[in-house]
Amino acid sequence: MNHQQTAETEAAIAKDSQLLEEIFKPVWEKVRKAGELIHQLQGENGRLNHKLADLERTSSQKIQSLEQDLTALREELLVREQELKKVRNENTQLIGDNGQHMFSHEEREILKERIRELIAKINSYL
């Protein structure tokens, strides 16, 4: 191989190398931008997963608290219903079978008002 052929070969290689560089330069730029976008999306995904975990934990705690409140209200309702039943039984015993009242008019009004209060409390929990 003579000097001219070597020079021509080197020139052809340099030209091919430059052509390949021009062809691949936009591709590499797109790959770089895609990598940056992937990195950005991974970070955002991590933040969203963290936020989701926080929301799940918070909602779980709120649900648990509401369930406890509901249980307490049901227990209180049962107590109030038992009180009401007791008062009704006492009222029935005091009235007697013949319909005559053992209470004075004023005592009956106080008893009616007490029953209304108990019913209102029960209804407020329902």
Side-chain angles (χ1 to χ4, degrees):
M1 202 175 208
N2 65 26
H3 181 62
Q4 186 179 4
Q5 287 177 335
T6 304
E8 288 175 3
T9 304
E10 287 177 6
I13 290 173
K15 187 176 179 182
D16 288 346
S17 176
Q18 191 176 27
L19 180 61
L20 286 174
E21 186 177 322
E22 289 176 17
I23 291 172
F24 284 114
K25 187 174 183 179
V27 173
W28 285 117
E29 185 61 27
K30 288 180 182 180
V31 168
R32 185 189 63 76
K33 286 182 180 180
E36 289 174 358
L37 181 59
I38 289 170
H39 180 71
Q40 178 186 359
L41 291 174
Q42 286 173 336
E44 187 175 337
N45 188 37
R47 286 187 298 277
L48 290 173
N49 282 332
H50 181 71
K51 186 174 181 178
L52 176 63
D54 287 345
L55 290 173
E56 286 174 342
R57 184 177 50 256
T58 301
S59 65
S60 176
Q61 291 169 348
K62 286 181 181 179
I63 288 171
Q64 185 178 14
S65 175
L66 289 173
E67 287 174 345
Q68 290 172 348
D69 291 348
L70 182 59
T71 300
L73 288 173
R74 283 181 178 155
E75 290 172 0
E76 188 172 345
L77 177 61
L78 288 174
V79 169
R80 299 292 179 168
E81 285 176 341
Q82 290 171 353
E83 287 178 14
L84 181 59
K85 193 174 187 178
K86 181 181 175 185
V87 170
R88 283 183 178 158
N89 287 338
E90 289 174 0
N91 186 36
T92 301
Q93 289 174 358
L94 293 173
I95 290 175
D97 292 334
N98 61 3
Q100 292 188 359
H101 298 285
M102 298 180 75
F103 291 114
S104 68
H105 178 71
E106 184 177 296
E107 290 172 330
R108 284 192 309 264
E109 292 301 317
I110 292 171
L111 183 58
K112 285 180 187 178
E113 183 59 31
R114 177 71 178 134
I115 290 171
R116 284 187 194 111
E117 289 174 6
L118 289 173
I119 291 172
K121 285 182 181 179
I122 289 170
N123 286 336
S124 72
Y125 290 110
L126 296 176

